[in-house]
Structure formats: C-alpha cells, structure tokens
Amino acid sequence: MAGVSAALAVLWFSPDGERTLGHELVDPAAPLLSALDLSATRGDGIFESISVGDGHPQALEAHLARFARSAAMLDLPAPDAGAWRAAIVAVAGAIDPVPESFVKIVLTRGIEGGGVPSGWAYATASPDASAARTRGIHVVMLDRGVRHDVAQTSPWLLAGAKTLSYAVNRAAVREAARRGADDVVFVSSDGYLLEGPTANVVLLRDGRLLTPPLDAGILPGTTQADLFDWAPTRRLEPVYELLRPQDLLDADAAWLVSSVRHAAPIRAVDHAEVPVDRELSDAMNAFLRGRTG
Ligand code: PLP
C-alpha cells in the first residue's frame, strides 16, 4: 500500500462564521480554495506551523494561544481551541509515522463579503534541518525599516501577528541568498535586533540567554519560550533585553530558533564569524526534539 505523506483537514464554520462545527479529513491533493478567498487575493489571514516529534504536537497550547492572539489582532472570529486541537491531532496522526513532521494551520477571512472564515490543517514530514542544526547558518542583518516600538505606535501594521502576508519575509530570504547567506536577522530602523523572517534570535553572553523583548514588534516565539523555560536546567539565566547588532557580533554564541528547524547556530553574520557552541546547540536540539507536549 502507498504511504501517506500528507494529510489535510478542512474546518467547517456556522453560516454566521462565529462557531466552528468540526473538521473533515479530505484528499490533500484536491482543490480547496475559492479564487475569491481573501487569503489568496489579499494574504488576509493567519497561520501557525507546529512541529510534531514522534507523533506529539509540540508547544501545542502555546501555538493555539498565539493563533488566538493573531486572530484578535486581525479582528477575525476567535478560533475554537478544541476544534483546532482536534484537527491538528487528526492530521498529525493520519500521516505515516516519521521522527519529525509538522502541521500548518490556516484561518482566513474567507470569501470577500461572505463573513465566513476558511480554515484548514495540513500535515507532512519536516524538511531535513540537520545541516543547519550542526554546521550552522550564515545570516545577514537587514534593515526592517520600522522602529522597535512599531507595535505600540502603529498597531495596524500587525507587527507581532502571524499573518499570511509573508511576501516581505520571503523577499528578505532571497536578498540573503543574493548576498551568499542562508537567512536574515532584521534590525529596526532605530538600530535594535528584532527577529528572523521565520525565527527568533537568541544570544549567549556570560552565562545568560538573551532575546529581544516580546513587545519589540516581533512574533513571540514558542521555541524561544520553551528554551527559556529549559535554560535554568543548564544554569543559564534567560533574559529579555533590547539588543544591538554589536551584541550579536560579540556574542559567545547565537541561534535562530523556530518550531520546525529548532535551534540553528549562527556561524557568520555578514562577513564576520560568530563562535558556534556545538555542545549547547546539541543540548538545545535534543531538548526541543524530545518535547512531548
Ligand atoms: N518570528 C517569525 C517572524 C516567525 O515566522 C516565526 C515562526 O515561523 C518565529 C519568529 C518563531 O516562532 P516559533 O518558535 O513559534 O516557530
């Protein structure tokens, strides 16, 4: 029998869009969206990517909480956590067992003028991140063009919401590739480290793990949060602090961290090398990989 490499569940909503009625497993290769869906025409919706380790969705409640927060920021109907949890578990369990997979959940504003959201959950095996986790990555610092307090001054820009409008984030990664690098660390127009296009930045300095404050117009990362909970087991103090590009260049070690890649050590920033702490990176990835909740 052919293996099942992907699974898709469609969420059903009441006609007023307020209630989630449940989910249905459908053929992941079948057409799903109307050409009028606002996700396709305007990028108007939200998503989450949840890593699944040996069948266990990881940081699931944190992802559901952030999904609800993004929905509120976009004035979308509040997601029904129970219905989404059930869909996530269903698709994660419907694919052939692999050590690492992920579930992507999407909630859109639906068809223009209709008032009924669209939603789905999709599971498949994760891309192989072992090279990034062991050899490390080369990043470039790029100006994001907004101040670090943009979330407070201009909330309509949706800084810190996980929206479907990721074209800018993809363009930044292409710019990194043009410069011969793998990824990006965004810097605010007033000179503070922010985050990567799909990851948070974590630095090691003098026995402290540092990351920018969560209100600095960045996505509050579930991976960074789990690493900060774990840090004291390694006698590391977790600290939220405004950081400058020089802090990254002077760090004892640094990482981009996110759900599917886990912790990718940064080995170079622009043209400067950054030390890689292989032992700590391996310990971080073993912890992240082993999470069962
Ligand atoms: N920042 C951005 C912009 C992201 O897109 C992501 C994840 O995709 C993250 C940070 C890391 O979040 P998490 O660790 O929850 O995956």
Side-chain angles (χ1 to χ4, degrees):
M1 209 178 85
V4 179
S5 60
L8 176 64
V10 176
L11 279 286
W12 295 116
F13 300 93
S14 59
D16 62 2
E18 289 302 323
R19 284 179 306 116
T20 312
L21 306 176
H23 70 265
E24 181 187 355
L25 285 170
V26 299
D27 177 358
L32 174 71
L33 275 189
S34 159
L36 299 179
D37 195 282
L38 284 161
S39 59
T41 56
R42 307 257 191 219
D44 193 356
I46 57 171
F47 75 106
E48 286 291 323
S49 294
I50 303 150
S51 60
V52 180
D54 293 322
H56 301 283
Q58 298 174 317
L60 178 55
E61 297 312 312
H63 280 289
L64 289 171
R66 193 171 65 189
F67 199 46
R69 177 177 175 272
S70 296
M73 289 172 77
L74 268 73
D75 304 312
L76 286 165
D80 177 330
W84 283 94
R85 195 182 295 114
I88 292 162
V89 169
V91 292
I95 59 170
D96 290 343
V98 285
E100 295 187 39
S101 54
F102 71 98
V103 176
K104 182 166 182 171
I105 57 173
V106 180
L107 176 67
T108 90
R109 207 176 297 284
I111 291 174
E112 183 131 30
V116 184
S118 306
W120 62 90
Y122 178 86
T124 195
S126 297
D128 182 4
S130 53
R133 289 176 195 165
T134 53
R135 284 211 299 274
I137 55 171
H138 174 189
V139 301
V140 290
M141 287 195 265
L142 296 182
D143 181 3
R144 196 174 230 177
V146 291
R147 289 169 49 94
H148 78 284
D149 54 0
V150 63
Q152 291 77 49
T153 58
S154 312
W156 48 88
L157 292 183
L158 300 177
K162 200 163 168 65
T163 79
L164 292 172
S165 306
Y166 261 44
V168 168
N169 303 37
R170 305 294 285 219
V173 175
R174 290 196 300 276
E175 177 61 22
R178 272 193 287 275
R179 298 182 187 199
D182 306 301
D183 216 322
V184 175
V185 171
F186 285 123
V187 179
S188 66
S189 57
D190 51 345
Y192 294 102
L193 294 181
L194 296 175
E195 61 184 342
T198 61
N200 290 103
V201 187
V202 173
L203 309 187
L204 175 69
R205 192 177 65 206
D206 302 330
R208 306 192 317 157
L209 274 192
L210 302 145
T211 205
L214 301 181
D215 62 0
I218 61 174
L219 196 71
T222 63
T223 314
Q224 171 269 314
D226 278 354
L227 278 176
F228 269 34
D229 286 345
W230 167 86
T233 70
R234 297 278 309 196
R235 298 187 197 289
L236 295 170
E237 185 195 352
V239 178
Y240 292 93
E241 191 174 291
L242 281 173
L243 299 164
R244 298 284 192 177
Q246 196 61 40
D247 293 311
L248 174 53
L249 296 167
D250 293 344
D252 299 329
W255 296 264
L256 282 186
V257 306
S258 60
S259 294
V260 177
R261 98 183 71 192
H262 298 337
I266 296 176
R267 61 176 164 72
V269 179
D270 296 319
H271 299 296
E273 289 190 9
V274 175
V276 169
D277 187 329
R278 182 70 193 267
E279 196 272 328
L280 184 54
S281 294
D282 289 351
M284 284 178 171
N285 281 311
F287 159 69
L288 293 169
R289 169 74 184 75
R291 289 171 298 164
T292 55

